[in-house]
Amino acid sequence: MSSYDQALASLISQIAFSFDGAVLGVALAYAAVRTIFRFKCTSTALRKIGGAPSVRVADLRSLLEEERSNSTEEPIVVVRGAVEARPATDGLSWKGLKSNVLVSQESGDKAVIIQRSQTYIYHEWRGFLGWTSDLRSILGRSWTKKESSTMKTVPFILVEGGKWPQSDSVIVNMDGSRHPLPLTTVYHQLQPINASPYTLLQALFGHEYPVGLLNEEKILPLGKEITAVGICGFNNGVPELKSCKELPYFLSDKTKDQMLLDLAFKTKILLWSGVVFGSLSIGILGYAFVRNWKKWKEWRQRRAQQSIQAITDEATSEITVDEDAGDIPDGELCVVCLMRRRRSAFIPCGHLVCCQRCAISVEREVMPKCPVCRMSIRSSVRIYAS
């Protein structure tokens, strides 16, 4: 790994494990909340699709009339049928003239949706000035894509496969739908782009440069069997199907059973992912809380000790040098330090055996005892000689 990657990884790890892992715990908690939210949406979609009736196009009108008499809300239904262009006349009579059908320029197939895209693929090296001795950094490449696409659509319907124009139909309303479409790729070609005189300079200095142009054409052909899931109602007496934002599917190649299996699998994955992320976040946040609580208590203890030490230093500073100047008889020396004169008497034993500084040090012990009689003491008092 290069020095830049090492520094970046070190920075990310320091941020993640700062405050004893609290940042990492918060990130995992956020991931857990997002996962649980997605699990709720997916389980709701699974319940709605599972409870939606799967009907044929011919039976859709009778179902809508029955639902209209029982409820005012438009039901969610699952319909499978073949794609056909919508006739231009009202009532969808097969005798009317059909609307313009799109024709693929590459394959010549008739379709109702044609999507053409051009993707420029750019190749980016680290550059001569950014190379390192690390082999993976030298050989590592990043590919970026810049895509421009156009889509043409015409109104279309779903009919009973093989029975049109004698069968009933349902209008597919694509307005406001952002769901993925079951398009078929009919053209896929990658054209290399010749290097220009500036390509070498761009590569040396790490600038991206195009290496290929990917042309694709995808269509929704006539006669393709697809499954539509959405809100169904009447539009001028004709059944119309609209997309539902709460559902992950609108038009799909999958059948209802395949959708249910896919959603059930995603629901289990999201559920266990949320449980794992939530458990890890709770454990890490709990550990970080305990650690920071202990650090805070230690900080308070240090502050208290510093305050006591400051009081001790202030008290001992009151002892002038003149009081202990000169020779001190052995019987008046402190029994602890054997350097200063005895100044403080312990309470309640009353022994005058320590200087003021050593007496305060003895008081600060966990279980303070007199150095002579070993009796537990409460405090000390300084004795002043008149």
Side-chain angles (χ1 to χ4, degrees):
M1 184 179 293
S2 64
S3 59
Y4 174 78
D5 295 336
Q6 290 178 355
L8 182 60
S10 176
L11 178 61
I12 294 175
S13 62
Q14 289 178 3
I15 294 175
F17 290 101
S18 57
F19 299 101
D20 294 313
V23 176
L24 179 61
V26 171
L28 289 175
Y30 175 76
V33 172
R34 288 292 302 272
T35 304
I36 294 299
F37 178 76
R38 292 178 59 190
F39 163 75
K40 182 180 179 181
C41 295
T42 306
S43 60
T44 301
L46 176 63
R47 184 176 66 255
K48 288 184 176 182
I49 294 179
S54 180
V55 297
R56 298 184 304 122
V57 177
D59 301 331
L60 189 57
R61 184 180 295 273
S62 59
L63 175 66
L64 292 178
E65 292 176 353
E66 181 180 356
E67 290 290 339
R68 177 185 291 182
S69 60
N70 297 332
S71 175
T72 57
E73 296 182 358
E74 295 180 340
I76 296 177
V77 297
V78 181
V79 182
R80 188 167 182 85
V83 176
E84 283 292 339
R86 181 181 175 181
T89 58
D90 295 335
L92 302 182
S93 174
W94 66 273
K95 296 180 181 179
L97 296 176
K98 290 188 176 181
S99 60
N100 295 328
V101 178
L102 302 177
V103 180
S104 172
Q105 295 180 357
E106 305 298 336
S107 63
D109 296 334
K110 296 181 179 180
V112 294
I113 298 178
I114 295 180
Q115 179 181 0
R116 297 187 182 92
S117 62
Q118 286 186 340
T119 305
Y120 285 92
I121 301 177
Y122 287 80
H123 181 53
E124 180 183 0
W125 287 85
R126 289 183 176 272
F128 179 76
L129 300 178
W131 285 352
T132 62
S133 58
D134 184 46
L135 182 61
R136 196 178 72 175
S137 298
I138 295 176
L139 297 180
R141 299 175 296 179
S142 61
W143 293 83
T144 58
K145 297 181 179 180
K146 294 183 179 180
E147 182 178 358
S148 61
S149 61
T150 58
M151 180 180 292
K152 295 182 179 180
T153 61
V154 295
F156 64 97
I157 58 177
L158 294 182
V159 299
E160 292 286 345
K163 297 182 180 180
W164 178 254
Q166 287 79 15
S167 67
D168 292 334
S169 60
V170 55
I171 302 173
V172 178
N173 190 346
M174 297 287 295
D175 295 340
S177 174
R178 295 186 178 180
H179 296 79
L181 299 175
L183 302 180
T184 302
T185 302
V186 294
Y187 182 73
H188 182 93
Q189 183 180 14
L190 178 62
Q191 299 176 354
I193 297 179
N194 298 327
S196 66
Y198 301 102
T199 301
L200 179 59
L201 294 178
Q202 290 176 333
L204 288 178
F205 290 95
H207 296 288
E208 59 182 13
Y209 57 93
V211 295
L213 176 62
L214 180 62
N215 293 312
E216 283 186 317
E217 186 178 71
K218 298 180 180 180
I219 65 172
L220 183 59
L222 297 180
K224 183 177 181 179
E225 290 282 339
I226 61 173
T227 301
V229 183
I231 302 173
C232 195
F234 283 108
N235 182 9
N236 296 326
V238 180
E240 182 183 48
L241 194 67
K242 297 179 292 185
S243 64
C244 180
K245 296 181 179 180
E246 299 178 358
L247 300 180
Y249 300 106
F250 178 41
L251 303 178
S252 175
D253 293 323
K254 300 178 181 179
T255 62
K256 179 181 178 180
D257 293 337
Q258 292 174 342
M259 293 180 186
L260 294 177
L261 290 176
D262 186 31
L263 290 176
F265 178 74
K266 290 181 179 179
T267 302
K268 292 180 181 179
I269 295 297
L270 291 173
L271 174 62
W272 286 109
S273 299
V275 171
V276 171
F277 287 151
S279 302
L280 288 176
S281 64
I282 292 174
I284 293 175
L285 289 175
Y287 171 78
F289 176 79
V290 172
R291 290 278 298 176
N292 286 280
W293 175 260
K294 289 182 178 179
K295 288 183 178 180
W296 183 74
K297 290 179 64 177
E298 292 175 357
W299 176 79
R300 288 193 59 185
Q301 291 178 357
R302 286 197 302 269
R303 289 293 300 272
Q305 291 177 359
Q306 290 175 0
S307 301
I308 296 174
Q309 184 66 32
I311 296 174
T312 303
D313 295 340
E314 182 180 357
T316 54
S317 64
E318 297 177 356
I319 304 174
T320 61
V321 180
D322 295 338
E323 291 179 345
D324 292 336
D327 296 334
I328 302 175
D330 293 341
E332 297 181 6
L333 286 175
C334 173
V335 297
V336 177
C337 64
L338 298 176
M339 295 176 59
R340 291 177 291 273
R341 192 184 300 273
R342 301 177 183 181
R343 295 290 185 185
S344 297
F346 292 111
I347 298 174
C349 65
H351 286 116
L352 180 61
V353 293
C354 292
C355 63
Q356 186 178 3
R357 184 175 299 177
C358 293
I360 295 176
S361 299
V362 172
E363 288 181 21
R364 291 170 56 187
E365 294 179 357
V366 180
M367 298 179 63
K369 294 182 179 181
C370 177
V372 177
C373 64
R374 308 304 296 169
M375 180 184 292
S376 298
I377 60 175
R378 295 192 302 269
S379 61
S380 64
V381 59
R382 181 176 178 181
I383 306 299
Y384 293 91
S386 58

